[in-house]
Every structure is written in C-alpha cells, then in structure tokens.
C-alpha cells in the first residue's frame, strides 16, 4: 500500500507539472498583451541570490505603514515570497503576472476587507479615484495575474489569453522593452531622457536592461536597439554622442559638475557603440543614485 501511494503521488506530481500553464518564467509572457505595450520583467529570485535585491529596492517600502498592514494581513513579503514578475502597460491599462508563494485565502480576505469583491475566481477592488480597478486571479498555485484597468474584472481575461511567444525573451534579470508608442509620444518623459527617446523612433526594437557592472558602478544600464541597417544604427550612435556632449556642455554653463546621484550624472556618463544593425549603450549606475531614488 505504501509503494502504491508513493507511485500515485509521483504520477499526480508529474501530471500536475506537465499541465501547468507556467513552467518557466518566460511562459508568463504568453498571458500578456504585446502589440503597443511596453513590457517589463524582473527575476527577483536571481537578484536575491546575488545579494542585490535590497540594494535596488532599498528599505523605504518596508517601513511604510500601508505595506506593513498589507504584510500583516496577507503574510506576503515581496522580498521573500516574490520570485519573478512580468508585466505590460500602455499607460491606461497595466497587466502583471507574479510568480511566488501566495496565501490565496488571505489575499481574497484582504480584498474584501478593503471594500473589494470576489466573484468566481476574480477579486477586484478600487485602485484610486480615477475610476480604475485592481483585479487579480490565480493562474496556478504559484502564479498570480493582476490587472489595473477601468474594467473591474480585467484579470479574468488571463484565463483565455494564452498565445505563443512572438520573439525571444531577453536573458537579463531586469529589463524593459519600450513600445513605439512611448518613443513616438515622449512628452511625459524628463527632458534629458526625451532627446534620447526621439532618436530611437526609427528603431525596430528597444530594450533597456539592468545588470552587474565592473569598476565602481553598482550596475550598468544597457540599451540594445536594433535598426533596419548598419547606416541607421551609425546615425543614431552619432546622435547619442552629440546629445551626451550637449548635456555635459549645459552642466558646464551652469558651473556644475556631473553628480552621480542624479539623472544628469547618469546620462552624461554614457558610452555607445554599433554592432551590425544594433546600437549598444552603457550608462554606469552608481550606488549614490540608487540611494537617492529610495
């Protein structure tokens, strides 16, 4: 009987794993909209193992009263229980998949206690006063799907949103694939960033990633932009170099030095090169800037 139970448990475990919708982190993107959306990803488990998660997130959120209350009621601590997130946003609607350890009963109770409603598999509660709602659903025991939208039950679409991946997912632990909509309408970006975004409007694909760096940097912010041909890539590289010199000159006019703790200090330290049809840019991210962003 013991042998039979072990065999049955093993068969059930194999069956459950094979029929999981999310087996690896890249599978989360099968549930997210792609065209017209900026997509992003963070492998928190890898960052936790490397000891860099706390450096990136700081400690401010941990000490906020609202987060402390959320932690008390749900027993969910992102620094321990969240392993990876993948998301997509177009500025009006945002969709997020999170992989980790969840207490679904506590999450549903938290939603209802704070004025939300759970119907069938979806829970929703009002996000703020602009008419949008936060809704969430269990994709599988270790994957949560969440939506921020004017549609109160938008998270319900995750159940039928599975589709094949259209292109390979970048391998970096943190990255953002910028949509053409953001590049073509950069009005909401800081002015210093806007001039770089305008130069990238002809790019076919733009990915910004954060990864380990050498020297005295905490991380390197990396740009990987692909173009139709080498000539277009060379043109954008030249524009980036000119824009960086313009920012440096502007600082000189103000009798100021580049400060590693602010955005101008980051942008004026950029280096650029062309590899075939791609422009690769590197900006060193100092610890001073990370502390200033906390």
């Amino acid at each position: 009987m013991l042998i039979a139970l072990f065999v049955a448990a093993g068969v059930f475990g194999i069956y459950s794993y094979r029929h999981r919708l999310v087996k690896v982190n890249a599978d989360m993107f099968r549930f997210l909209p792609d065209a017209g959306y900026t997509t992003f990803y963070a492998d928190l488990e890898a960052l936790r193992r490397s000891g860099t998660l706390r450096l990136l997130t700081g400690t401010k959120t941990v000490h906020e009263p609202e987060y402390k209350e959320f932690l008390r009621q749900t027993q969910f601590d992102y620094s321990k229980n969240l392993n990876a997130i993948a998301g997509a946003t177009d500025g009006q609607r945002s969709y997020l998949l999170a992989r980790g350890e969840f207490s679904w009963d506590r999450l549903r109770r938290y939603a209802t206690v704070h004025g939300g409603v759970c119907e069938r598999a979806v829970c929703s509660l009002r996000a703020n006063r602009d008419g949008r709602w936060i809704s969430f659903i269990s994709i599988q025991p270790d994957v949560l799907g969440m939506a921020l939208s004017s549609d109160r039950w938008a998270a319900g679409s995750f159940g039928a949103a599975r589709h094949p991946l259209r292109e390979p997912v970048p391998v970096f632990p943190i990255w953002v694939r910028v949509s053409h909509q953001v590049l073509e309408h950069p009005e909401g970006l800081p002015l210093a960033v806007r001039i770089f975004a305008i130069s990238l409007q002809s790019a076919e694909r733009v990915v910004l990633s954060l990864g380990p760096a050498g020297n005295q940097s905490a991380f390197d912010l990396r740009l990987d932009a692909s173009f139709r041909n080498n000539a277009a890539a060379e043109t954008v590289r030249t524009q980036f170099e000119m824009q960086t010199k313009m920012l440096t000159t502007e600082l000189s006019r103000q009798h100021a030095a580049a400060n590693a703790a602010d955005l101008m200090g980051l942008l004026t330290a950029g280096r650029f090169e062309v590899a075939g049809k791609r422009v690769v840019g590197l900006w060193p991210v100092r610890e001073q800037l990370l502390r200033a962003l906390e």
Side-chain angles (χ1 to χ4, degrees):
M1 289 182 63
L2 286 174
I3 293 174
L5 287 173
F6 278 121
V7 171
V11 170
F12 178 76
I14 294 172
Y15 177 85
S16 299
Y17 177 78
R18 289 184 61 188
H19 288 79
R20 282 192 166 210
L21 300 176
V22 178
K23 298 178 182 178
V24 296
N25 290 343
D27 288 339
M28 294 191 288
F29 288 93
R30 300 179 187 276
F31 294 85
L32 296 173
D34 188 12
Y37 282 76
T38 292
T39 55
F40 55 90
Y41 171 78
D43 187 338
L44 279 76
E45 187 176 15
L47 295 170
R48 192 180 298 119
R49 288 196 304 266
S50 65
T52 57
L53 179 61
R54 183 54 59 88
L55 181 62
L56 284 171
T57 60
T59 59
K60 183 177 180 181
T61 302
V62 177
H63 298 298
E64 290 180 354
E66 290 184 4
Y67 181 76
K68 284 185 175 180
E69 184 61 19
F70 174 80
L71 177 60
R72 186 187 68 81
Q73 294 186 32
T74 64
Q75 299 299 304
F76 179 80
D77 184 349
Y78 76 90
S79 65
K80 299 177 182 178
N81 305 121
L82 187 59
N83 295 331
I85 57 173
T89 180
D90 65 355
Q92 299 297 321
R93 297 160 294 180
S94 299
Y95 300 91
L96 179 76
L97 265 76
R99 197 176 190 188
E101 300 174 8
F102 306 101
S103 173
W104 294 103
D105 289 340
R106 288 192 177 98
L107 287 172
R108 294 186 183 101
R109 192 179 307 119
Y110 179 87
T112 55
V113 166
H114 288 79
V117 177
C118 293
E119 293 186 3
R120 298 181 180 178
V122 182
C123 293
S124 72
L125 62 161
R126 189 173 293 278
N128 44 40
R129 296 180 179 178
D130 66 358
R132 292 194 293 178
W133 297 82
I134 295 175
S135 56
F136 65 88
I137 188 173
S138 170
I139 304 294
Q140 62 190 41
D142 64 338
V143 177
L144 175 146
M146 179 181 294
L148 176 61
S149 169
S150 58
D151 178 0
R152 184 171 185 174
W153 308 107
S157 64
F158 284 120
R162 197 178 185 192
H163 57 74
L165 294 176
R166 294 182 175 87
E167 58 182 79
V169 174
V171 298
F172 306 105
I174 300 178
W175 58 263
V176 177
R177 187 170 59 216
V178 185
S179 70
H180 281 95
Q181 181 180 353
V182 171
L183 299 175
E184 293 169 2
H185 302 280
E187 298 83 7
L189 300 175
L191 178 59
V193 177
R194 197 183 308 166
I195 60 176
F196 289 96
I198 292 172
S199 295
L200 290 169
Q201 290 178 350
S202 62
E204 295 181 336
R205 186 170 183 263
V206 176
V207 176
L208 290 168
S209 60
L210 202 62
N215 302 326
Q216 299 178 351
S217 304
F219 301 94
D220 270 343
L221 176 62
R222 175 188 174 96
L223 165 73
D224 195 328
S226 58
F227 296 84
R228 293 189 303 274
N229 50 53
N230 175 262
E234 289 284 0
T235 298
V236 171
R237 190 269 304 271
T238 301
Q239 291 175 350
F240 272 25
E241 291 176 343
M242 292 177 59
Q243 290 156 357
T244 301
K245 289 179 181 179
M246 288 173 54
L247 293 176
T248 304
T249 301
E250 182 61 28
L251 285 176
S252 299
R253 288 176 180 172
Q254 299 174 8
H255 304 288
N259 186 351
D262 62 25
L263 181 60
M264 288 290 282
L266 172 69
L267 294 177
T268 54
R271 307 186 308 275
F272 314 100
E273 63 181 30
V274 170
K277 297 187 292 183
R278 295 164 45 238
V279 172
V280 177
L282 287 176
W283 292 269
V285 180
R286 313 287 185 184
E287 289 190 26
Q288 299 96 307
L289 178 59
L290 295 175
R291 287 197 293 267
L293 293 175
E294 288 186 8

